[in-house]
Amino acid sequence: MKVVILAGGYGTRIGEETHIRPKPLIEIGDRPIICHIMSHYSRYGYNDFIICLGYKGYMIKEYFAHYFLHHSDVTFDFRNRNQVLYHHHTTEPWKVTLIDTGKDTATGGRVKQIQRYVGEETFMLTYGDGVSDIDIRQLVQFHRSHKKLATITSTQPPGRFGALEFADDDQSVTGFREKPRGDGGWINAGFFVMEPGVFDYIDGDDTVLEKEPLEALARSSQLMAFKHTGFWHPMDTLRDKNYLEELWKSGKAKW
């Protein structure tokens, strides 16, 4: 099963970083966040990736063009027609297809453009800027069990602030709760499983996946939610990036 990654947005809310490089190449622990995401899928045996490029997409192409070289011991033999000999390497068994889907194309339009690379097979889809400990195996099993066109993973993000705990009198503070779950709402966590029939719900480049297509799938009872109660965190802002970096450096990264 192929994994499609949306990696073409401008990332304007983290402009401190994205004026230099595309958001998926922002590093967490000296490794681009897109590689953290790919490694997560790879642990479950999914190694065939299609990456939808847009803003500064050439930089992502250049990164993967040199990926094997940068993760290998190598000999350059200039005496023998500049022969290159690779020795020990630490690369993953990935197949990566990079597709330029346009600088200003909306999310749905990007998905529509890679239809011919997916073919008539079930595929997975995610964004290139969020990490999680979602059990991909369970996600796929859930999708196959309900036989609908699409599965969206949902989660309840933590609140922004810590919360006080009170006694029965509702005034005596008994403790503190670190960043409890939000207001009870479930949001799109960005890990999808889809059937090729989903392409019929996408019109063109201007189509926003999270609007017309998903809303139409929901109206036709073809969209199911896989509820995830574990770790999930997007990298929307510099604050998010620093938080994920701290988790990685401290050895507490859950993804």
Side-chain angles (χ1 to χ4, degrees), residues 164-237:
L164 298 178
E165 294 180 340
F166 294 98
D168 292 339
D169 63 9
D170 211 28
Q171 291 180 318
S172 301
V173 177
T174 59
F176 296 84
R177 193 151 40 102
E178 180 66 20
K179 293 183 178 180
R181 291 287 174 181
D183 59 4
W186 291 82
I187 67 167
N188 171 16
F191 289 79
F192 301 86
V193 186
M194 295 181 167
E195 299 300 322
V198 167
F199 292 118
D200 296 335
Y201 288 76
I202 304 173
D203 291 330
D205 285 355
D206 295 331
T207 305
V208 178
L209 177 68
E210 299 78 9
K211 293 185 179 179
E212 296 93 340
L214 291 186
E215 290 171 357
L217 285 164
R219 286 195 301 270
S220 57
S221 301
Q222 289 295 325
L223 181 63
M224 299 290 285
F226 177 78
K227 291 187 174 180
H228 174 64
T229 57
F231 177 83
W232 172 83
H233 205 287
M235 189 183 65
D236 287 334
T237 65

Side-chain angles (χ1 to χ4, degrees), residues 10 53 70 75 118-119 185 190 239 250:
Y10 285 93
L53 305 177
H70 291 169
T75 296
V118 170
R239 177 180 178 179
S250 66

Side-chain angles (χ1 to χ4, degrees), residues 16-59:
E16 302 94 336
E17 295 270 355
T18 54
H19 75 285
I20 299 174
R21 52 191 165 180
K23 194 176 182 182
L25 288 186
I26 296 175
E27 294 180 348
I28 303 297
D30 298 323
R31 195 175 191 218
I33 191 168
I34 193 171
C35 288
H36 288 278
I37 296 167
M38 293 167 71
S39 291
H40 180 65
Y41 280 99
S42 188
R43 284 194 291 274
Y44 291 92
Y46 297 100
N47 295 298
D48 194 347
F49 298 94
I50 300 172
I51 302 179
C52 302
L53 305 177
Y55 173 68
K56 294 187 182 295
Y58 67 92
M59 296 184 69

Side-chain angles (χ1 to χ4, degrees), residues 95-125:
K95 177 183 177 182
V96 183
T97 302
L98 303 164
I99 307 300
D100 186 355
T101 55
K103 194 173 180 181
D104 297 309
T105 306
T107 49
R110 297 190 192 282
V111 174
K112 184 77 169 181
Q113 287 193 35
I114 55 85
Q115 180 175 1
R116 61 183 173 136
Y117 298 98
V118 170
E120 296 301 318
E121 300 177 0
T122 306
F123 66 98
M124 286 185 279
L125 171 71

